[in-house]
């Protein structure tokens, strides 16, 4: 089913720029593959919210696959691990920035917000797990909440970044990670102090 979903998603992505994330866009893409509206419903029973969720999950998978093949995170400091995860996740969708922008708009609607939060959580959780996080309880959720803020603000920069090799996005990301690290150091100092 995943290949089937990917076929429909891949056929849909070029049209998102013009038509947005709509059921009609999905059905039109399916028709171009010789499929029917029923095939779309079978692949994505929840409609657009399901296909955008699949789009996000696939980018997470691509990030994790690239990490396994090309990186040894254990040799990096934690901030480098996280920066690497974020940049790989963004690069996985470099050719689909407009689809990402429109997905953010879709998730901004109150009735889609829960799905958007779920997709964001899945992404930051995948990043922390790939980075080797073993936190539990309060620290587990704090790390994910902090990374959600860093990732979201970095995506906003990435959407309009025209610099070579996403240099502006990466510089912004590194500053945000440094800010978070300083907050954590200040909290530890106040706790121990």
């Amino acid at each position: 089913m995943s290949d089937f979903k990917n076929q429909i998603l891949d056929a849909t992505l070029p049209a998102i720029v013009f038509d947005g994330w709509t059921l009609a866009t999905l059905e039109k893409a399916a028709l171009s593959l010789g499929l029917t509206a029923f095939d779309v419903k079978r692949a994505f029973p929840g409609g657009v919210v399901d296909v955008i969720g699949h789009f996000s999950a696939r980018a997470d998978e691509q990030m994790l696959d690239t990490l396994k093949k090309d990186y040894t995170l254990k040799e990096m400091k934690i901030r480098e691990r996280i920066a690497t995860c974020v940049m790989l996740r963004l690069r996985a969708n470099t050719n689909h920035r407009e689809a990402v922008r429109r997905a953010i708009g879709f998730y901004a609607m109150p009735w889609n917000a829960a799905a958007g939060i779920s997709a964001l959580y899945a992404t930051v959780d995948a990043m922390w797990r790939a980075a080797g996080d073993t936190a539990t309880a309060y620290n587990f959720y704090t790390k994910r909440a902090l990374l959600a803020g860093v990732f979201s603000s970095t995506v906003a920069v990435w959407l309009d970044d025209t610099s070579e090799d996403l240099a502006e996005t990466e510089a912004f990301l590194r500053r945000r990670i440094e800010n978070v690290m300083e907050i954590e150091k200040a909290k530890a100092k106040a706790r121990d102090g």
Side-chain angles (χ1 to χ4, degrees), residues 140-151:
F140 176 92
Y141 296 104
T142 302
K143 285 181 174 183
R144 279 143 182 85
L146 288 169
L147 183 54
V150 168
F151 181 69

Side-chain angles (χ1 to χ4, degrees), residues 106-119:
F106 180 87
Y107 282 148
M109 298 297 176
W111 49 89
N112 298 324
I117 291 167
S118 179

Side-chain angles (χ1 to χ4, degrees), residues 4-176:
F4 186 58
K5 288 181 176 185
N6 285 336
Q7 287 177 338
I8 295 171
L9 175 60
D10 289 337
T12 303
L13 285 170
I16 299 301
V17 174
F18 305 104
D19 302 324
W21 290 103
T22 67
L23 194 55
T25 307
L26 290 172
E27 290 173 355
K28 191 172 161 183
L31 277 172
S32 75
L33 297 170
L35 302 172
T36 66
F38 177 76
D39 292 320
V40 171
K41 188 71 171 166
R42 191 166 52 101
F44 304 106
V48 175
V49 73
D50 282 1
V51 77
I52 294 175
H54 181 70
F55 176 55
S56 180
R58 185 169 78 170
D60 292 343
E61 286 176 25
Q62 290 168 334
M63 171 195 69
L64 293 172
D65 289 345
T66 303
L67 284 169
K68 286 178 190 171
K69 285 189 311 191
D70 301 335
Y71 292 86
T72 308
L73 291 181
K74 291 177 188 174
E75 297 173 1
M76 299 178 188
K77 291 182 176 182
I78 194 70
R79 69 183 73 189
E80 289 301 314
R81 294 176 194 183
I82 293 299
T84 299
C85 289
V86 171
M87 291 308 297
L88 286 176
R89 177 61 166 71
L90 295 176
R91 284 187 172 102
N93 277 322
T94 296
N95 295 328
H96 305 295
R97 286 190 223 200
E98 190 56 32
V100 172
R101 185 186 316 274
R102 289 181 179 240
I104 291 168
F106 180 87
Y107 282 148
M109 298 297 176
W111 49 89
N112 298 324
I117 291 167
S118 179
L120 177 60
Y121 175 81
T123 297
V124 298
D125 185 56
M127 289 175 182
W128 271 117
R129 289 181 189 280
D133 181 51
T134 58
T136 58
Y138 174 77
N139 204 17
F140 176 92
Y141 296 104
T142 302
K143 285 181 174 183
R144 279 143 182 85
L146 288 169
L147 183 54
V150 168
F151 181 69
S152 298
S153 61
T154 304
V155 168
V157 172
W158 169 79
L159 284 170
D160 295 315
D161 186 355
T162 58
S163 65
E164 190 173 327
D165 198 32
L166 300 174
E168 288 178 20
T169 299
E170 190 158 2
F172 176 84
L173 170 62
R174 291 188 181 282
R175 286 192 305 272
R176 291 287 291 129

